Amino acid sequence: LRLEAEPSERRRQLLQEARAVSALRHPAIVTVFEAGEQAGRPYLVFEYVEGTTLAALLREQGAMAPAAAAQMM
């Protein structure tokens, strides 16, 4: 996503990329169910994944070692 692009172009790119990602199906990839725009603001609808957030994990454990971060991703 090009950050220097106009806001409307960034929204178009975001939605285009989200729609492309929504075609991916794999147990390790969170499914994107829908991507759209409402009142000029883009939105994404993701699959719900139960568990802790990455932010909470980092608050609890601190920075991850590069190998652990790569494995999680």
Side-chain angles (χ1 to χ4, degrees), residues 14-15 17-23 25 30-38 42-47:
L14 172 69
L15 293 174
E17 290 175 18
R19 288 180 182 124
V21 169
S22 71
R25 298 288 183 265
V30 175
T31 302
V32 178
F33 291 125
E34 187 176 341
E37 198 170 338
Q38 177 69 34
Y43 68 87
L44 302 172
V45 180
F46 291 95
E47 165 189 17

Side-chain angles (χ1 to χ4, degrees), residues 3-61:
L3 296 179
E4 70 277 2
E6 291 296 317
S8 61
E9 176 64 12
R10 287 193 304 228
R11 283 195 304 271
R12 187 194 66 72
Q13 289 175 340
L14 172 69
L15 293 174
Q16 181 179 18
E17 290 175 18
R19 288 180 182 124
V21 169
S22 71
L24 300 175
R25 298 288 183 265
H26 188 276
I29 299 174
V30 175
T31 302
V32 178
F33 291 125
E34 187 176 341
E37 198 170 338
Q38 177 69 34
R41 299 182 70 185
Y43 68 87
L44 302 172
V45 180
F46 291 95
E47 165 189 17
Y48 175 74
V49 177
E50 193 169 337
T52 189
T53 66
L54 178 59
L57 181 69
L58 292 174
R59 273 194 306 274
E60 292 170 11
Q61 298 180 5

